[in-house]
Amino acid sequence: MNFRFFLFQILIISFCISCDKFSFKKNKQIQEIDTIVNFSSVDTYPSFKVCDSLIAKKAQENCFRNTIHATIGAKLQEHKFTIRDSISEIIYVDLLIDANGKITLKEIESSKNIQTQLPKLDSVLRISVESIPTIFPAIKRGIPVTTKYKLPIKIELKE
């Protein structure tokens, strides 16, 4: 019995001493999940049907901006404005494009001069934005997302 107890103690001691020799870690390669999300950029910009064939991200963005500028510009040129003094200023239009592709005008930043001389400009811009057809929304990680754009519009009118 003494011999068994002695043998048992030797096994326990050798097991405790040699534990650091065994590797209990799994050697599987663990794929890291990207948990950092950059909310200031998107994977795919919103696009009109015209811009769908473009592959490059920058080209898509430029096509979107050019198309929206051309659409709003064409609507603005349909209206006749009367002014007292010449105007050559830039206004900023904040647009919100929701995950369904609907465009909403959120804010118009303009000078007091433009607000005084062109009081109907805000309503004309709202109508112009509402007439823009539904577009394909921006995509982030495969999910349609809401985006906000600040578009500069140059107002140049001469007496």
Side-chain angles (χ1 to χ4, degrees):
M1 186 118 153
N2 240 352
F3 179 71
R4 287 184 189 168
F5 183 70
F6 180 69
L7 186 60
F8 179 71
Q9 284 181 341
I10 291 177
L11 283 173
I12 294 291
I13 291 172
S14 63
F15 180 71
C16 290
I17 294 173
S18 65
C19 280
D20 61 338
K21 305 285 189 245
F22 296 107
S23 174
F24 294 109
K25 293 182 181 177
K26 294 180 180 178
N27 288 335
K28 294 180 183 176
Q29 290 182 347
I30 299 173
Q31 181 179 2
E32 291 185 27
I33 298 174
D34 184 16
T35 57
I36 299 171
V37 179
N38 181 0
F39 289 106
S40 63
S41 70
V42 292
D43 299 335
T44 306
Y45 283 96
S47 67
F48 292 95
K49 210 168 197 119
V50 178
C51 306
D52 264 356
S53 61
L54 299 172
I55 296 172
K57 189 174 180 179
K58 192 65 177 169
Q60 285 178 342
E61 180 184 17
N62 288 337
C63 180
F64 169 74
R65 286 185 180 270
N66 292 337
T67 305
I68 205 160
H69 271 272
T71 306
I72 291 174
K75 288 289 185 182
L76 284 175
Q77 288 182 352
E78 291 176 2
H79 297 280
K80 301 290 182 203
F81 295 103
T82 55
I83 57 171
R84 286 177 272 133
D85 300 321
S86 294
I87 298 176
S88 180
E89 293 184 29
I90 295 177
I91 64 169
Y92 295 95
V93 179
D94 289 340
L95 300 175
L96 191 70
I97 303 164
D98 70 11
N100 296 321
K102 185 175 181 333
I103 300 175
T104 308
L105 191 142
K106 286 308 220 184
E107 185 180 359
I108 300 169
E109 296 175 28
S110 60
S111 68
K112 289 287 183 194
N113 182 31
I114 289 189
Q115 292 172 5
T116 306
Q117 289 199 53
L118 302 171
K120 295 182 181 179
L121 180 63
D122 288 5
S123 60
V124 171
L125 280 170
R126 289 193 191 285
I127 292 168
S128 299
V129 169
E130 288 172 3
S131 70
I132 296 173
T134 302
I135 62 172
F136 301 109
I139 305 290
K140 181 74 172 181
R141 293 186 172 198
I143 300 169
V145 293
T146 300
T147 51
K148 182 178 179 182
Y149 285 93
K150 184 179 286 266
L151 295 176
I153 298 176
K154 182 162 183 151
I155 304 293
E156 192 160 346
L157 298 169
K158 299 183 182 181
E159 342 178 37

